[in-house]
Amino acid sequence: MVKLKLQANFPELKFIISALNRMVIQGNTVTVAVHDFPNKFVSVKLQRCKTYSFVELRRDLASFDAKAKKDFAELENKHIFLFETDEDGSYLGISGYDSYLELPKFEALGIPEVIIPELDSVSAKCEVNVRFPLRKKFDELFDFVKIFNLLLTRNFYARMTVREVKHLELHFTDGIQDSRPSLTLGFGLRIPYKNSKEAIDWDDGFYGREACSFNRLLIKNETTVRKFYCIPPDVDSHGPRLEFKAL
């Protein structure tokens, strides 16, 4: 195992890793890289499909010495990665395996739910309520949404980007000025089929406006009461809905 010491503790890392490991054993492709300029940081990217859906973790490293470089270079020849950390998220451990038969058993962690009664109520009157239905199933989104809310309680800054009408990216950084997100998720969004009844009234700018509403809110007031939700799919052939509410 390669053990990379992080520059700052990341307590939510243990929950992110738990979700990533579950996705790894489902056959999702993972790439790991260490970047050395201008700052040393590690990047773990799990690709859920060829284009839109991914999870990417990035954190600055305390060091990346000659031994770590040598161990990491040997690790890159492996095919399947699993990850670990400690309770405080002080390091990222990376192990490589040649086949799924070699993977050890691991325990999936329970992620605490952030309770906000004034938003959790069905009758809540929200200043912002944006909704993004996903194109495909994403079972781990329910856990990632809990992680999103934990990050917000620690005053992480979040922003949304919509690309090519149907691709949403959600970025979480330690501060509003940070250019490199600690956690990024990409989603393929559901859009109406060309010949469907929904397509008649569909506006290609809808998701972009939803993202702008989200970004304006967080830039203006970081102390706003806010929370992410994951709504189960109404139709089995589509994915869940990512929702965000704020007062």
Side-chain angles (χ1 to χ4, degrees):
M1 181 185 72
V2 177
K3 193 171 181 178
L4 302 175
K5 175 70 175 176
L6 302 183
Q7 189 177 83
N9 288 356
F10 190 22
E12 293 75 22
L13 182 59
K14 58 182 175 290
F15 301 128
I16 297 172
I17 282 176
S18 179
L20 285 177
N21 284 341
R22 292 202 309 274
M23 296 171 75
V24 167
I25 66 174
Q26 294 169 20
N28 292 281
T29 302
V30 180
T31 55
V32 183
V34 173
H35 305 265
D36 209 14
F37 182 85
N39 298 316
K40 298 178 178 66
F41 70 94
V42 60
S43 170
V44 176
K45 188 169 185 178
L46 184 147
Q47 202 76 39
R48 296 183 59 241
C49 71
K50 292 182 180 180
T51 309
Y52 299 124
S53 297
F54 65 88
V55 180
E56 185 167 18
L57 168 72
R58 294 181 178 182
R59 290 296 288 184
D60 288 345
L61 298 176
S63 64
F64 192 55
D65 57 22
K67 183 181 184 305
K69 288 182 180 180
K70 180 179 181 296
D71 293 342
F72 186 77
E74 294 175 357
L75 183 68
E76 288 183 312
N77 294 323
K78 298 291 186 180
H79 301 296
I80 305 167
F81 297 115
L82 283 184
F83 307 95
E84 67 175 65
T85 189
D86 56 9
E87 184 66 24
D88 297 324
S90 67
Y91 74 90
L92 176 66
I94 312 168
S95 299
Y97 301 89
D98 290 318
S99 73
Y100 285 97
L101 295 176
E102 294 182 8
L103 298 183
K105 293 182 179 180
F106 60 88
E107 183 178 357
L109 297 180
I111 305 174
E113 177 73 71
V114 175
I115 305 300
I116 305 179
E118 58 267 46
L119 288 176
D120 296 339
S121 170
V122 176
S123 59
K125 295 181 179 179
C126 303
E127 179 182 345
V128 171
N129 187 352
V130 295
R131 303 177 180 186
F132 298 92
L134 274 60
R135 186 168 64 93
K136 292 185 176 182
K137 293 180 180 180
F138 187 3
D139 294 335
E140 285 74 20
L141 182 60
F142 291 89
D143 281 344
F144 275 110
V145 161
K146 293 180 182 179
I147 295 168
F148 298 164
N149 291 324
L150 290 174
L151 292 174
L152 290 182
T153 63
R154 289 215 298 125
N155 294 322
F156 264 66
Y157 174 69
R159 71 177 187 277
M160 290 183 178
T161 305
V162 174
R163 307 183 190 278
E164 300 175 0
V165 179
K166 57 184 178 180
H167 179 200
L168 173 69
E169 290 183 7
L170 182 56
H171 314 268
F172 289 88
T173 57
D174 290 82
I176 194 170
Q177 302 299 329
D178 293 341
S179 59
R180 185 169 60 249
S182 292
L183 179 65
T184 300
L185 272 79
F187 310 93
L189 298 174
R190 190 171 76 232
I191 60 173
Y193 294 109
K194 290 182 179 180
N195 298 324
S196 67
K197 293 181 179 179
E198 289 180 284
I200 297 174
D201 299 320
W202 175 252
D203 179 357
D204 282 347
F206 174 74
Y207 290 137
R209 289 193 298 272
E210 295 282 86
C212 285
S213 296
F214 175 90
N215 293 333
R216 281 196 300 268
L217 175 78
L218 269 72
I219 289 174
K220 287 181 179 179
N221 189 355
E222 294 187 6
T223 61
T224 302
V225 178
R226 59 251 171 115
K227 185 176 178 180
F228 285 94
Y229 295 85
C230 185
I231 311 301
D234 297 325
V235 183
D236 291 339
S237 59
H238 295 302
R241 185 171 75 240
L242 176 65
E243 190 167 327
F244 175 82
K245 297 180 181 180
L247 291 173

